[in-house]
Amino acid sequence: MASPLLSASTLHKTYGSGPGAFEALRGLDLDIAEGESVAITGKSGSGKSTLMHLLALLDRPTSGTITLDGTDTARLSARQLNRTRNSTFGFVFQQFFLNAQASVLDNVTLPLKIAGVPRRERTSRGLAALAQLELDDKADNRANDLSGGQKQRVVIARALINRPRVIFADEPTGNLDTATGGVVEDILFDLNRSQGISLVVVTHDDDLAARCDRSVQMRDGLIAAHEGVAA
Amino acid sequence: MKAVDVVATAFRNAFRSRLRTSLTVLAIFIGAFTLSLTNGLGTGINRYIDDTVASVGVDDVLTVTVTDDAFPTEGPAEYDPDQIEADGPPGATTTALTDDDLETVAGVDGVLAVEPVKAITTDYVQYDGGDRYQLGVAQFVPGMRAELASGRQVDLDAPGPELVLPEGHVEPLGLGTPVDAVGRTVVLAVTDGTGTQVTTEATVVGVAEPGVLSMGGAIPNDALAGTLYDLQTTGAPAAQAARYASASVTFDASAGPEAQQALVDRLADAGYTASTLEDQLGTLTSVIDAIVLVLNGFAVIALVAAGIGIVNTLFMAVQERTREVGLMKAMGLSSTRVFSLFSIEAVVIGLVGSALGVLAAIGVGQVVGGISGNLLPDLPGLTLIAFEPVTVAVVVLGVMGIAFLAGTLPALRAARQDPISSLRYE
Ligand SMILES: Nc1ncnc2c1ncn2[C@@H]1O[C@H](COP(=O)(O)OP(=O)(O)OP(=O)(O)O)[C@@H](O)[C@H]1O
Ligand SMILES: [Mg+2]
């Protein structure tokens, strides 16, 4: 098997210091292959979000290493980290984190703006991404005026606009009803299958976890159980 | 993020909370308005004084008088047979310059030429047998130029008598319009040393607009001034004729201020007081500068208060946009860019406030200018509130600078925000 896209080994993450310190991750190992979908499940407070943030290079582990394409990410400069997050990763959160006053199009093209893509190209790519999610007629609406399901589709459009290799999703359907959540799931798995984008999904939802190639269950900062195709 | 996008985004962000931004802009506006107005006042008055110097147009001439050592600090002054009436309150006297003095002054190193100032008092001026009017003769300094309504300046070296007439005299004398007056010959009368009235003729070569210089009266050329002075002193004792209140010394102005100061010092050693017209007006200018400085101080205090308003506004904005900033950082926006986003937003607020303030001050300046023309008719050419592009630019840039400084604290906080805790922020 080829070297994994993302690989975490003996990850430790401690919040705080001294007597109030809390060890959220306690020496965890996990590999994620290119194009694979992985669900991270577990009780609340077990460290799922913490793990996802470390994998997404939003935070640095207290100890242990994370490699991306075989490169130790601890050695990347702040600039390289920013560029990696911008162009290699896409983010979908439970809270949508949309700029309520800005237009749908502006929200979707934010990663391109950050990357320094010229305005004209931003607009055309933004419209294409919205068309993919059947939202192109909403491009000029304020983000605030959309329904919950539409908002989450806008977030997905934003996550995929920079053609990422991995989409990190933290409870992507947590704020949606079952039907709408199902639509959003379909979109994510469709992207995974058709474009080979890896999915890392944190979820409480067993059905969603079951749809992934693989699911890992966390308990107290460690992986308690693997399900599906073992890595 | 591209710089142009950073600026555009900062611009848009500044007006996201419209009321809050407007109030901060208002505070800046008040400060910038006041500062521009006080500056404008100083500029207007100082420019008037400068224009007066420029309209005289002489910077290579020193006015020299005898230093009055005998001037008492206490008690009555001793009588000096050489003292003559001087400009100023009645009874003020000054020690006269004699021909000996003129020679001494001419001998001082650096003096190119010395010319006694001949005080001329005419009795009247008359045109073509018409009504007779009193006419003053301006203290003549070589090289001085009047603002002309028509005609030209007097030709210093012309052999014939020439003069520039104040505009106010043209109509009453029956000369018609200022243009008509040019080329006409008028009659001037003086009383000579024996008490007899004698007349001479002179050609009007120009008409002077009302101004500081022409308030002194007509401007003669050398030939006319000489003729009038000779007529006036005919029959007077010789000693009387060769006594002058002051003399004009020409020097090389291009040698720089140090050389000029050295010359003044040498003249002082020889017992003479020398000053340029600028020196005489300089005291006034520095008083005005001091007043403007104090007024500016108050305006700057207002601006500093407004700057604290910016700090406040931006802290609120950073607070409000915690998640947005966190998200953008998660998506790869660098801390430097976050810092620029917020500090440029502060600068935008400063720019809008100061630009509006300056514009309003210029508008008020125009209105006041119109009114002050009517209120102060004795000071023709005075623009009470004037604006120099440089000062205006300095005010706007200065306010933007203050705004930038005010923005650094909130912008630093935003730049240091940790993306994860921002995303967890409820
Ligand atoms: N910044 C922090 N400072 C201190 N403790 C933290 C911090 N962030 C997370 N924790 C703690 O680390 C543990 C793991 O948190 P994490 O958010 O990863 O849990 P989770 O598995 O995602 O839970 P949930 O399903 O409720 O989202 C929790 O006990 C939490 O209180
Ligand atoms: Mg979580």
Side-chain angles (χ1 to χ4, degrees):
Chain A
M1 187 179 152
S3 80
L5 177 63
L6 268 169
S7 169
S9 63
T10 57
L11 275 193
H12 285 265
K13 180 68 187 177
T14 309
Y15 289 113
S17 58
F22 179 82
E23 208 178 358
L25 296 181
R26 309 162 185 256
L28 174 151
D29 300 295
L30 180 69
D31 285 349
I32 292 160
E34 184 104 53
E36 136 178 88
S37 58
V38 180
I40 300 171
T41 61
K43 284 204 312 243
S44 181
S46 56
K48 306 182 294 290
S49 297
T50 303
L51 173 61
M52 197 196 82
H53 291 154
L54 290 181
L55 291 175
L57 308 180
L58 286 165
D59 202 359
R60 291 187 188 267
T62 310
S63 71
T65 55
I66 297 168
T67 59
L68 172 68
D69 280 332
T71 316
D72 184 357
T73 54
R75 283 214 284 272
L76 297 179
S77 67
R79 218 188 139 136
Q80 287 167 314
L81 282 177
N82 279 334
R83 189 161 331 132
T84 306
R85 282 204 307 274
N86 182 266
S87 60
T88 313
F89 298 159
F91 296 95
V92 177
F93 299 99
Q94 178 177 358
Q95 294 99 350
F96 311 121
F97 295 126
L98 291 172
N99 182 345
Q101 302 309 316
S103 73
V104 166
L105 184 65
D106 283 349
N107 269 292
V108 168
T109 55
L110 186 57
L112 296 182
K113 187 160 143 184
I114 290 171
V117 173
R119 173 162 215 107
R120 189 185 300 255
E121 186 186 338
R122 288 206 305 258
T123 307
S124 63
R125 279 170 67 179
L127 288 174
L130 283 172
Q132 202 176 341
L133 294 160
E134 291 161 18
L135 274 173
D136 36 347
D137 55 330
K138 301 282 183 195
D140 295 327
N141 289 40
R142 286 195 319 166
N144 213 25
D145 300 341
L146 301 183
S147 73
Q150 288 170 330
K151 280 182 186 163
Q152 197 59 304
R153 271 146 70 200
V154 171
V155 172
I156 293 172
R158 182 177 67 193
L160 60 85
I161 193 152
N162 230 351
R163 302 181 193 112
R165 292 166 67 191
V166 191
I167 288 182
F168 292 95
D170 198 345
E171 313 266 12
T173 57
N175 265 346
L176 304 174
D177 62 68
T178 326
T180 321
V183 172
V184 169
E185 281 174 27
D186 289 345
I187 295 168
L188 285 174
F189 283 107
D190 182 53
L191 287 171
N192 170 244
R193 226 169 305 117
S194 63
Q195 300 186 22
I197 299 174
S198 305
L199 283 183
V200 178
V201 187
V202 171
T203 184
H204 280 114
D205 181 349
D206 290 336
D207 294 337
L208 173 53
R211 288 182 70 174
C212 294
D213 299 337
R214 193 153 69 88
S215 107
V216 293
Q217 200 194 339
M218 290 189 63
R219 189 180 303 137
D220 297 334
L222 284 168
I223 291 177
H226 291 271
E227 276 166 42
V229 192
Chain B
M1 203 185 244
K2 282 218 185 96
V4 45
D5 284 325
V6 172
V7 174
T9 308
F11 234 95
R12 205 160 332 123
N13 283 348
F15 296 98
R16 251 160 74 171
S17 178
R18 223 162 269 143
L19 179 63
R20 193 174 64 202
T21 302
S22 306
L23 288 173
T24 315
V25 163
L26 182 65
I28 299 274
F29 169 89
I30 293 170
F33 175 76
T34 317
L35 187 58
S36 306
L37 219 52
T38 53
N39 261 336
L41 202 62
T43 308
I45 297 174
N46 280 336
R47 185 185 288 174
Y48 178 68
I49 294 171
D50 284 350
D51 281 353
T52 308
V53 177
S55 81
V56 176
V58 179
D59 58 359
D60 60 348
V61 172
L62 287 167
T63 302
V64 174
T65 54
V66 175
T67 307
D68 214 341
D69 290 330
F71 194 76
T73 42
E74 262 173 24
E78 222 179 294
Y79 174 73
D80 180 346
D82 266 347
Q83 70 194 7
I84 61 170
E85 287 226 354
D87 290 344
T93 58
T94 181
T95 308
L97 287 160
T98 60
D99 283 337
D100 285 348
D101 288 318
L102 292 179
E103 257 169 56
T104 318
V105 170
V108 171
D109 192 22
V111 173
L112 297 180
V114 58
E115 188 71 30
V117 174
K118 297 170 175 170
I120 298 165
T121 320
T122 63
D123 294 340
Y124 63 82
V125 60
Q126 187 184 31
Y127 171 66
D128 200 18
D131 288 339
R132 295 180 292 189
Y133 291 91
Q134 296 185 9
L135 175 68
V137 175
Q139 287 267 318
F140 184 72
V141 179
M144 73 182 177
R145 314 176 68 78
E147 300 272 323
L148 293 177
S150 69
R152 57 170 174 82
Q153 306 284 347
V154 290
D155 180 353
L156 286 183
D157 306 322
E162 292 181 355
L163 89 167
V164 167
L165 212 54
E167 198 175 1
H169 276 71
V170 173
E171 264 252 37
L173 282 170
L175 287 165
T177 68
V179 179
D180 295 336
V182 175
R184 305 290 172 91
T185 303
V186 292
V187 171
L188 293 161
V190 295
T191 305
D192 73 12
T194 61
T196 328
Q197 207 167 50
V198 288
T199 61
T200 184
E201 290 187 335
T203 311
V204 178
V205 295
V207 174
E209 275 179 349
V212 169
L213 194 63
S214 57
M215 269 167 18
I219 302 162
N221 71 344
D222 274 354
L224 179 60
T227 313
L228 289 173
Y229 192 75
D230 289 346
L231 287 174
Q232 189 176 289
T233 49
T234 308
Q240 189 75 38
R243 284 152 54 112
Y244 314 99
S246 61
S248 298
V249 162
T250 313
F251 63 96
D252 183 8
S254 62
E258 278 120 54
Q260 182 181 335
Q261 189 53 48
L263 173 60
V264 169
D265 290 345
R266 281 194 297 275
L267 285 167
D269 289 344
Y272 303 96
T273 306
S275 57
T276 59
L277 189 58
E278 269 176 293
D279 291 340
Q280 292 156 26
L281 293 171
T283 339
L284 193 55
T285 316
S286 47
V287 170
I288 290 165
D289 282 345
I291 294 172
V292 168
L293 202 66
V294 171
L295 291 176
N296 278 354
F298 289 123
V300 168
I301 290 171
L303 277 175
V304 168
I308 293 169
I310 293 188
V311 178
N312 207 18
T313 303
L314 257 86
F315 266 130
M316 282 197 255
V318 171
Q319 185 85 2
E320 268 177 13
R321 292 181 218 148
T322 304
R323 286 171 149 210
E324 189 182 327
V325 170
L327 179 77
M328 290 196 296
K329 291 185 105 174
M331 294 191 309
L333 189 65
S334 67
S335 300
T336 337
R337 286 301 197 211
V338 173
F339 178 86
S340 348
L341 269 179
F342 281 95
S343 50
I344 291 175
E345 184 172 337
V347 171
V348 166
I349 293 175
L351 171 67
V352 173
S354 60
L356 290 179
V358 164
L359 285 180
I362 291 177
V364 167
Q366 304 255 283
V367 173
V368 170
I371 298 170
S372 71
N374 299 333
L375 290 181
L376 303 167
D378 287 345
L379 296 173
L382 170 65
T383 311
L384 195 56
I385 301 172
F387 295 92
E388 267 167 21
V390 178
T391 340
V392 169
V394 165
V395 169
V396 173
L397 290 177
V399 171
M400 285 166 75
I402 291 179
F404 175 80
L405 287 181
T408 46
L409 236 63
L412 268 181
R413 173 180 287 186
R416 291 213 182 112
Q417 256 172 27
D418 167 26
I420 297 178
S421 42
S422 306
L423 291 175
R424 285 182 190 266
Y425 177 86
E426 297 293 329

